Amino acid sequence: MEGKVKVPTPLDLEGAHNVRDLGTYVNAEGKRLREHQFLRGDSLAGLTSEDQRKLMAYGVKAVIDFRSSQEKNQAPCVWEGSKEVDYYSIPLLDEMNSSSFQSRIPDSMSELYIKLLENNKAEFAQALRIMSGYKEDCVIFNCTAGKDRTGIMAMLLLLMAGVDHEVIIADYAESEFNMKDAFQSQKEQLLDIGIEVPEFAFQSKPDQMAATLDALTSKYGRADAYLSTLGLKAEEISCLKHKLLMEEE
């Protein structure tokens, strides 16, 4: 856990290890975020029937899956085609997980994240637009590990909520711990087929998210100003902020 920020523990699920509620934080103005609105997560392919029941009882009405077609075919989301939970596929191609580590691996995670932000604006906008339509319902967004593509979407939502950078960094950094056992198993599987991946690909070091936020600030003036380049309508932004932040009493 990074610094003094209290990062929520993952929900108690048998088939996923990194499903966390973004609504446990307080923003820079002291406003509390809302729980049961946004869950970030790793792969949902292994959710048991009890896991699914728990998440639906938690309020989940929609899933936004950022995995590539290859990843989805290998491990389909349990809610794809469901009548109970709406399923949306918005592949974010990150040059790494989305190609099963077969393409060029970037020199750092921050390099990957900055490219992801610049090359997938339409996809991030589409995801946020979908989220804005679930005004009082919980949306879970996920990739395979819930660390990189999911971590960047979590970053954007927390920026929209006006959360301090140290909170965003701490929220990101927690994934490495939560996915430790799964990452070890993945490394072994990759080595078995002759693919050696740099250790940083399985990490979520604070300096990598800090560098990403610094890059956004350098280019856009403020990190959250990036959001204005996505073309969201005023009512969509209003709905998202309503989902993110507690109403003032």
Side-chain angles (χ1 to χ4, degrees), residues 2-212:
E2 172 71 6
K4 62 181 182 294
V5 178
K6 182 172 173 53
V7 178
T9 56
L11 300 188
D12 182 17
L13 303 170
E14 185 178 334
H17 312 289
N18 198 20
V19 176
R20 295 181 270 138
D21 197 320
L22 288 186
T24 63
Y25 301 118
V26 175
N27 76 3
E29 297 177 354
K31 295 179 182 177
R32 291 191 59 80
L33 274 62
R34 296 179 68 197
E35 295 185 72
H36 296 263
Q37 294 297 311
F38 293 106
L39 290 173
R40 55 174 297 168
D42 51 322
S43 174
L44 306 179
L47 294 180
T48 65
S49 297
E50 178 62 13
D51 291 338
Q52 294 172 58
R53 187 198 66 77
K54 282 182 182 179
L55 286 168
M56 287 188 287
Y58 199 83
V60 170
K61 287 294 195 325
V63 175
I64 299 178
D65 188 346
F66 292 137
R67 298 176 303 156
S68 66
S69 297
Q70 182 179 353
E71 292 169 287
K72 289 184 299 173
N73 291 339
Q74 290 173 347
C77 176
V78 294
W79 278 313
E80 188 169 356
S82 167
K83 293 181 180 178
E84 297 172 304
V85 175
D86 298 334
Y87 176 81
Y88 301 91
S89 172
I90 305 179
L92 292 177
L93 304 181
D94 68 355
E95 300 182 347
M96 195 171 68
N97 291 284
S98 59
S99 65
S100 298
F101 299 95
Q102 298 285 347
S103 60
R104 187 191 81 82
I105 294 174
D107 294 330
S108 67
M109 296 312 298
S110 59
E111 178 190 327
L112 182 151
Y113 300 152
I114 293 159
K115 285 185 178 179
L116 194 64
L117 286 160
E118 294 300 332
N119 296 337
N120 292 268
K121 287 187 177 183
E123 289 78 10
F124 283 121
Q126 182 186 0
L128 289 166
R129 197 165 283 123
I130 290 167
M131 291 171 178
S132 73
Y134 291 85
K135 295 184 179 179
E136 297 295 336
D137 297 318
C138 187
V139 178
I140 183 168
F141 55 96
N142 76 286
C143 54
T144 294
K147 175 175 81 77
D148 303 319
R149 292 162 287 183
T150 296
I152 292 301
M153 176 52 80
M155 177 199 79
L156 292 178
L157 287 167
L158 292 173
L159 283 172
M160 186 175 287
V163 168
D164 281 333
H165 286 189
E166 69 167 339
V167 174
I168 295 171
I169 292 166
D171 185 72
Y172 163 77
E174 196 75 0
S175 287
E176 181 179 339
F177 175 77
N178 295 339
M179 296 298 292
K180 181 173 57 176
D181 292 341
F183 283 155
Q184 184 57 40
S185 175
Q186 187 181 13
K187 279 188 277 188
E188 291 169 1
Q189 290 170 10
L190 288 166
L191 283 172
D192 284 345
I193 59 174
I195 299 174
E196 189 169 354
V197 179
E199 190 64 28
F200 67 73
F202 301 101
Q203 298 172 340
S204 54
K205 298 305 181 192
D207 65 322
Q208 296 303 300
M209 180 55 73
T212 303

